[in-house]
Amino acid sequence: QLQLVESGGGLVQPGGSLRLSCAASRFTLDYYTLGWFRQAPGKEREGVSCIDFTDGTTYYADSVKGRFTISRDNAKNTVSLQMNSLKPEDTAVYYCAADPEFRTTAQAMCTLNLNLKSWGQGTQVSVSS
């Protein structure tokens, strides 16, 4: 079973930056579409950014476009989310997820509320002054 572990969350001031990382345990992430999601208390889960394997196509939610950047390192079996210009409304638990590329594109993963194959445990991001 593919297991994912997130790291890099924390407390930052508005305008600050964080870099989240997600690493696969034991297995390669090749041929998986990968994504970052977030959920704040009382709110629905939101697809933040997703990336496929074959051509690196990415998707960004409008709320983070221009501020966040998703990337993957296939040799290291990791996916990262660089978050700049953080706002209080970015506060949430952030999760990474993986699903086989053959059935899930980046846009689909981030927008269709799918039951994805693998999820990380989540990491808290808090943006506050």
Side-chain angles (χ1 to χ4, degrees):
Q1 181 178 351
L2 178 63
Q3 294 182 324
L4 304 173
V5 179
E6 302 99 331
S7 62
L11 174 64
V12 297
Q13 295 183 347
S17 297
L18 284 173
R19 184 175 180 86
L20 306 182
S21 295
C22 174
S25 177
R26 300 185 64 189
F27 299 100
T28 178
L29 290 175
D30 289 357
Y31 305 106
Y32 282 88
T33 299
L34 306 173
W36 287 96
F37 299 79
R38 65 187 181 187
Q39 188 164 24
K43 295 186 177 180
E44 295 183 349
R45 185 185 69 194
E46 176 186 17
V48 176
S49 184
C50 297
I51 183 169
D52 70 17
F53 173 78
T54 299
D55 60 7
T57 300
T58 58
Y59 173 88
Y60 294 93
D62 288 342
S63 60
V64 307
K65 194 172 299 181
R67 300 187 297 119
F68 292 8
T69 302
I70 190 171
S71 61
R72 63 189 297 165
D73 188 330
N74 295 326
K76 297 180 179 179
N77 292 315
T78 59
V79 59
S80 298
L81 185 69
Q82 178 66 46
M83 305 186 296
N84 299 326
S85 302
L86 284 162
K87 304 174 181 180
E89 51 262 44
D90 295 318
T91 296
V93 177
Y94 283 70
Y95 301 87
C96 65
D99 206 66
E101 187 183 45
F102 78 89
R103 68 180 186 182
T104 310
T105 65
Q107 182 173 353
M109 173 176 279
C110 266
T111 63
L112 297 184
N113 193 31
L114 304 172
N115 289 324
L116 305 175
K117 182 178 181 179
S118 300
W119 290 88
Q121 82 287 350
T123 185
Q124 177 71 49
V125 172
S126 298
V127 185
S128 176
S129 60

